[in-house]
Amino acid sequence: MIVAHFNLAWEVLSRTPALARWPVRQVMLKQLYFTGTESIVTISLVGFLVGLIVITQINNLVGRNEVMTLQIMIWTIVRELGPLLTAIVIIGRSSSAFASELSSMQVNAEIKSLRRMAISPISYLVLPRVYAMILASITLTFYFQVVAISTGWIVTKMRMDISLSSQIINFFEIISFNEIAASLLKSAVFGMLVSVVSCYHGLRRKSAMTEVPQAVSQAVIRSLLAVFVGDGIITVLVF
Amino acid sequence: MLQAGEIRVLKVASEEAKTTVIDLALGELLPSKGEILLQGQTLDAHKPGSVGLIPAMGGLISNLKTWENITLPLWYHGSRQPQSAEEVVSRWLLELKIDKQEWEGFMAKPAARLKPWERKMAGLLRGLLLAPRLLLIDAGLFEESEAAHTESWISTLEKFVSESAHSAVLVVTSMPILLPWETIERS
């Protein structure tokens, strides 16, 4: 099964030129709106709460040690929680939606109908979803980190009376390019993993509507698993 | 032998045989021996404009609107400009005797909300817009349809082949069906 996922991912990448086709770009824009724009409220809320919770715990742990506070904030929010929690929100919203939509199309013979119009379901359905999810994952991760870190700075100012300007200057002195790059790499890989796993389970051969919920739950569980495994591998390799 | 400008009905023994004929013509299946000729030339089903299918229930994609469904293969394969597609569809809608005031609502409706006859008609419009050399029709299109709809679809198809220099229509059925065209029976 893992090989089949890799095959699908490879097929998607090799069909990238199909993005030049207008209907494929239309699907990508729709998916970008659904996965990206419509997730902003949830990501804002989760980012704010994570910033509040994490920084409160850090303040309790290290007190008024500003450098240590910022260092732990980068370790937790930039390196780990940003990409991971964004991926979890995306899985909750889009993984299940991808799997159920594609499964229903499979059961209703719409996938067959596309093939009969000489339209590749991989190019028309999977490719735009994968690229939309990668783009949305990178953008939402960055946005999540901005919200969580800004909340952290404000909470630190209120609780520890450390000025905002000092925190911002020190933050940009401490954070390295590698940390930002690794965070973006993680979010891109998570986007790829979640979309490929979800589309794979959506497109698997089905004969009845009763198989759709099974496909959805498998897509969600396996996407979560793939993200945690991917996170483990990237973290060990990069940090 | 099916020539350009003709419409024939092919009656096969079973539903499975009908699916096999359609899949062979569309290149989904390969013939176990021999080759399929279309108007004397080897059929390349994957070449856009070669073979088109009108499925029994239209074969629409449920999350697309009617207009998007009708034009999807054209725009995907980049074979016609949107302006020209609009003109062709308007022309066939007139031929199908659809009231002009109903066009906009019909085209903007998501496929999932269309009535069965509307789904069939959208499939028919897609086939007419594609104007392939061989237009295959699943005879289910005419089954359980109102007589008025069937009549206008038949006359539209006749107009389509009579005006086309290169297209032919083949209706594939596994059931006895009353259509005004010559029937070829294959067991």
Side-chain angles (χ1 to χ4, degrees):
Chain A
M1 187 178 284
I2 291 171
V3 175
H5 283 89
F6 277 110
N7 282 344
L8 180 61
W10 173 248
E11 209 173 331
V12 167
L13 292 176
S14 63
R15 286 172 186 267
T16 300
L19 280 174
R21 295 173 193 263
W22 185 79
V24 179
R25 286 203 306 276
Q26 283 298 106
V27 176
M28 193 176 103
L29 289 177
K30 273 187 196 171
Q31 295 302 329
L32 204 50
Y33 178 78
F34 173 70
T35 305
T37 313
E38 290 194 340
S39 301
I40 283 180
V41 175
T42 316
I43 289 288
S44 304
L45 195 63
V46 176
F48 168 75
L49 291 170
V50 166
L52 184 76
I53 294 162
V54 168
I55 211 67
T56 304
Q57 296 294 357
I58 297 172
N59 287 164
N60 289 341
L61 188 70
V62 301
R64 288 194 85 252
N65 187 336
E66 186 186 348
V67 174
M68 183 63 83
T69 302
L70 292 171
Q71 188 68 65
I72 298 174
M73 193 155 82
I74 290 166
W75 284 341
T76 51
I77 293 173
V78 177
R79 288 186 180 189
E80 286 303 326
L81 293 181
L84 200 59
L85 290 178
T86 305
I88 291 171
V89 171
I90 287 177
I91 290 170
R93 272 186 60 83
S94 303
S95 174
S96 49
F98 282 12
S100 64
E101 190 179 15
L102 296 181
S103 296
S104 304
M105 290 180 80
Q106 179 76 263
V107 175
N108 293 329
E110 291 174 28
I111 306 286
K112 189 175 184 181
S113 184
L114 283 174
R115 281 205 189 92
R116 285 178 156 184
M117 289 187 271
I119 296 174
S120 156
I122 306 289
S123 299
Y124 181 65
L125 298 172
V126 182
L127 174 76
R129 281 170 171 76
V130 169
Y131 277 94
M133 196 173 268
I134 292 173
L135 280 175
S137 177
I138 293 171
T139 317
L140 288 175
T141 299
F142 182 73
Y143 177 69
F144 175 96
Q145 290 165 339
V146 169
V147 173
I149 289 164
S150 309
T151 307
W153 288 337
I154 293 166
V155 172
T156 304
K157 180 184 166 29
M158 287 163 67
R159 284 172 57 99
M160 299 294 157
D161 198 25
I162 299 172
S163 76
L164 277 177
S165 56
S166 160
Q167 288 185 70
I168 293 169
I169 291 165
N170 282 329
F171 178 85
F172 285 108
E173 274 178 11
I174 293 169
I175 195 164
S176 68
F177 173 77
N178 277 358
E179 279 162 328
I180 299 169
S183 161
L184 294 180
L185 172 72
K186 275 186 180 183
S187 58
V189 170
F190 294 170
M192 176 86 181
L193 288 172
V194 173
S195 54
V196 167
V197 170
S198 311
C199 291
Y200 173 80
H201 286 284
L203 286 178
R204 279 183 82 182
R205 199 166 289 281
K206 293 169 202 74
S207 51
M209 270 298 183
T210 48
E211 292 175 58
V212 174
Q214 292 168 11
V216 172
S217 70
Q218 279 184 345
V220 171
I221 297 292
R222 299 225 163 117
S223 294
L224 275 172
L225 204 61
V227 162
F228 278 99
V229 171
D231 194 18
I233 292 170
I234 296 173
T235 303
V236 169
L237 289 178
V238 176
F239 300 113
Chain B
M1 191 64 156
L2 191 63
Q3 297 295 339
E6 285 184 336
I7 306 181
R8 293 276 184 278
V9 179
L10 175 64
K11 187 177 177 301
V12 291
S14 62
E15 200 61 25
E16 290 75 34
K18 182 170 87 174
T19 308
T20 305
V21 168
I22 291 172
D23 285 344
L24 279 169
L26 291 169
E28 291 264 294
L29 284 178
L30 290 173
S32 52
K33 59 180 179 181
E35 58 178 346
I36 303 172
L37 299 177
L38 175 59
Q39 292 161 19
Q41 292 170 7
T42 307
L43 176 72
D44 180 5
H46 297 294
K47 194 174 155 194
S50 195
V51 185
L53 170 73
I54 303 178
M57 288 307 296
L60 307 185
I61 308 302
S62 52
N63 60 9
L64 294 181
K65 293 173 181 165
T66 312
W67 174 251
E68 293 168 330
N69 261 296
I70 291 172
T71 52
L72 176 63
L74 273 186
W75 288 353
Y76 185 85
H77 298 297
S79 42
R80 205 192 283 265
Q81 293 300 312
Q83 182 72 25
S84 150
E86 271 180 40
E87 284 167 16
V88 176
V89 172
S90 312
R91 187 263 151 115
W92 289 120
L93 278 168
L94 279 175
E95 211 60 60
L96 287 161
K97 300 179 181 68
I98 303 298
D99 190 354
K100 256 190 172 180
Q101 289 172 334
E102 291 173 22
W103 289 7
E104 210 174 307
F106 173 61
M107 290 301 172
K109 224 190 254 186
R113 288 201 212 140
L114 293 176
K115 293 173 189 158
W117 74 270
E118 290 177 319
R119 296 179 71 88
K120 290 178 175 196
M121 194 173 67
L124 178 65
L125 281 167
R126 186 166 63 198
L128 295 170
L129 182 62
L130 274 173
R133 285 170 64 208
L134 175 63
L135 182 57
L136 279 172
I137 300 180
D138 185 327
L141 184 80
F142 302 101
E143 289 163 14
E144 294 172 24
S145 294
E146 283 178 32
H149 292 142
T150 307
E151 208 174 289
S152 77
W153 298 345
I154 287 171
S155 67
T156 303
L157 283 167
E158 281 175 346
K159 189 149 267 178
F160 168 72
V161 289
S162 69
E163 288 177 8
S164 167
H166 69 279
S167 294
V169 173
L170 184 65
V171 182
V172 189
T173 182
S174 60
M175 313 280 277
I177 188 164
L178 197 64
L179 289 169
W181 305 305
E182 186 186 318
T183 302
I184 311 158
E185 285 212 36
R186 287 284 180 272
S187 54

